[in-house]
Amino acid sequence: TLDAQGNVLTRGVVELGGPEADLAPEPMRTVAVVPGADVLIRWLDLPTGSPAQVAAAALHGLRDDLAAPADRLSAALGPVPAPGERRLVAVAARGLLQTWGDYLSSLGLKADVMIPDSLILPEPAEEGALSVAVLGADLALRGRELALSLQPDLAEAVAAGRVLERIGRADEIERLLASAALNPPINVLVGAGRR
């Protein structure tokens, strides 16, 4: 749990069952970090329009990169970019979003925001470099207009000679999690209700 400035107030693990299971948590905004390997993240040149129109345009533009029909997918949009910049888009399966939500519900939680893990990493300071961190069993990579999670043994192939700026200290990862929770770069839940 964090305060408004991102300072960590408490740390812990949510346990199923046990004596604390019947205690209702205090109302709070819950931000879930989801596996980036299950979310397609791209930066696209998109037309202007309503959020539903822009999301539909994103799904249409990505149709050759998607393994499922658009009606089974959810496209979430990042902030409207400055003129000449491309817009962040995250695509996830509707069924998977429901599964993540159901899992959190089984823990007595309801996510207000879901962020792919690779988007908690900062863009690297050096052009052509990649920020890298181990998050769970996967390795998250972040570059300029690039964010993905993959098996660690594939990192060198994906990096293709780019410098890897490793983030390994637990306190640094915790700071990045807090920063992303306070200012999410995208919320994959936002697109889930759109048809």
Side-chain angles (χ1 to χ4, degrees):
T1 57
L2 310 170
D3 67 14
Q5 291 72 43
N7 299 311
V8 176
L9 300 175
T10 61
R11 293 175 181 81
V13 175
V14 176
E15 297 286 343
L16 290 175
E20 296 86 23
D22 295 330
L23 299 175
E26 291 182 37
M28 66 179 85
R29 181 170 172 257
T30 301
V31 179
V33 178
V34 299
D38 294 326
V39 180
L40 177 70
I41 301 168
R42 296 285 190 272
W43 280 259
L44 302 173
D45 290 316
L46 294 170
T48 58
S50 72
Q53 291 170 324
V54 176
L59 287 172
H60 181 74
L62 291 169
R63 68 189 174 282
D64 293 336
D65 295 338
L66 302 172
D71 64 342
R72 292 180 30 211
L73 301 170
S74 171
L77 305 169
V80 176
E85 293 183 5
R86 297 167 5 135
R87 191 165 189 181
L88 171 62
V89 177
V91 178
R94 290 180 186 275
L96 191 52
L97 291 169
Q98 181 66 47
T99 299
W100 289 333
D102 291 347
Y103 175 72
L104 290 168
S105 291
S106 75
L107 301 173
L109 300 170
K110 181 184 181 303
D112 299 296
V113 176
M114 286 186 185
I115 308 169
D117 59 13
S118 57
L119 286 175
I120 70 161
L121 299 180
E123 283 190 10
E126 183 182 325
E127 185 69 37
L130 296 173
S131 296
V132 182
V134 175
L135 299 172
D138 288 335
L139 191 68
L141 300 175
R142 179 79 189 266
R144 304 223 188 255
E145 294 194 354
L146 172 75
L148 64 127
S149 295
L150 44 75
Q151 296 171 347
D153 58 338
L154 298 175
E156 293 299 327
V158 171
R162 289 178 275 197
V163 174
L164 299 178
E165 297 177 359
R166 297 195 181 273
I167 302 168
R169 290 188 8 231
D171 64 329
E172 179 66 8
I173 291 173
E174 186 175 78
R175 186 190 63 73
L176 292 171
L177 285 166
S179 177
L182 292 171
N183 189 20
I186 201 161
N187 180 2
V188 295
L189 284 177
V190 170
R194 261 190 230 119
R195 291 283 182 196

